[in-house]
Amino acid sequence: MTIKLYDTYARETREFIPISSEEPVGLYCCGPTVYNYAHIGNLRTYIFEDVLRRVLEYNHYDVRHVVNITDVGHLVSDADDGEDKMAAGAARTGKTAWEIAEIYTDAFLQDLAHLNIKTPDILCKATDHIAEQITAIQQIEAKGLCYITSDGVYFDTSKDPDYGYLARLDTAGLQEGARVDKGEKRNHTDFALWKFSPANEQRQMEWESPWGKGFPGWHIECSAMASKYLGPLFDIHCGGKDHIPIHHSNEIAQAQACYGTRLSNYWMHGYFLQSDKSKMSKSSGEFLRMETLIDKGYDPLTYRFFCLLAHYRSDIAFSWENLDSAAIALGRLRDAFYSWESGGTVADDYAQRFGDCINDDLNTSQAIALVWELVKNNSVSGADKKATLVKFDEVLGLQLSVWEPAAEEAIPDEIISLAQTRQNARKSKDWDAADAARNAIAAAGYEVVDTADGFEVKKS
Ligand code: AMP
Ligand code: ZN
């Protein structure tokens, strides 16, 4: 089967042809900046990337999936100034930058597990690859493509005739139209490769370099680590669509300088989850994370299902109503799946059509519509439906085979005995004791209801 993927670089849907027929498909995805928890918008992008990986695997490709952990160098402003996000996160929490990197990396891995996102084969931290980043900057310097200012080493984008092609940036127009002061930078689009530590100040994260003590710029970590683990030109590079004009344009400029490649053969971008008509972000608007959803009683896979309902190249507006509808729909699918016998065979025509949907630039919304068509089809046996959905779930990742209806929870003995105490107290008109028992029952999350022949205890 042919896989077609939308390549932002070419601005068209292209047939996927791997670079090597022997090596695994190289897939690099920009990971989290670990200065805070991921919000569910970030998680939408990781779900899209997981679906991509699963679609490649469904088509029998081995995949080498690399994700970076940005634990240094990402500044609050994309214009290479402002505070370092890690330093800001450390100040916010009263911990060190190293400590928060560990805390939020663990939280990120926990989020992936909740959403049944496959663990990347390689998870690489920027701070573990300082030497590789310095080598890449030296290669850029050797080509005369950077310059030094009082606060760092900058890439001179005017020396790269293709700079910004990915985003179809109008660099000349940007240069003239920009109102922001570019400081010592020669061009608005120039970006930091290395930033110097301020004089007389020890940063929590800093390293020696040929240019002076400091830390790497954000973009260099991705091109340096991606090429280390996947080679100078690999198959697919992903991220959210906000990365097109700056981060990914800069990665390509660096790779062009270091290796003479555009780093990746296909560039794919996930669209946004929006809240209140604006992009959900860590710094503004509603900050919803996986734990928020779990605390509100949602099964994490409901959020995965919710994301699958839309194509990855369309923005989704988040609403609790839509999440509730997804929860109901997933519940119906699980109930139906659970009710069928095992031992059936995959319905070939449905498998064929499912492949057509997902291989058409990961059309998960059509794939889910096909799932419902199969569920409702009376001429396919329950067992065959089950076998077919098990196959589809390799891509959907909804863990349908694992799910079981929750068993009716038994009321604990101590709650029953408290209810008995209350009833005895009422009989002897000891209202204070009766109230105390009722309150203790309520505090444990239960309620007691009087009935004709005694009482009944329920979860409140
Ligand atoms: P960050 O941790 O901010 O570097 O972002 C991690 C990933 O989430 C990147 O690929 C971003 O492009 C992506 N992203 C950021 N905001 C959103 C959003 N509201 N919806 C979907 N993806 C997002
Ligand atoms: Zn990146």
Side-chain angles (χ1 to χ4, degrees), residues 30-33 39 41-42 44-46 49 74 218 239-243 271-273 279-280 282:
C30 290
T33 307
H39 58 62
N42 303 129
R44 180 185 183 202
T45 294
Y46 305 135
E49 292 159 348
H74 196 168
W218 170 38
K241 68 174 181 180
D242 55 328
H243 285 343
Y271 278 43
F272 277 145
L273 179 80
K279 167 194 158 188
M280 185 172 288
K282 291 185 197 175

Side-chain angles (χ1 to χ4, degrees), residues 276-309:
D276 306 330
K277 302 217 164 43
S278 61
K279 167 194 158 188
M280 185 172 288
S281 79
K282 291 185 197 175
S283 48
S284 65
E286 208 180 0
F287 187 126
L288 295 176
R289 59 190 187 93
M290 199 67 249
E291 287 300 318
T292 325
L293 267 48
I294 294 172
D295 289 348
K296 285 182 187 280
Y298 291 96
D299 175 332
L301 291 177
T302 296
Y303 182 63
R304 185 176 173 107
F305 186 73
F306 169 89
C307 290
L308 295 178
L309 294 173

Side-chain angles (χ1 to χ4, degrees), residues 379-394:
S379 55
V380 180
S381 72
D384 287 359
K385 289 180 187 178
K386 191 166 198 148
T388 311
L389 283 182
V390 166
K391 181 86 188 130
F392 293 2
D393 210 27
E394 289 173 21

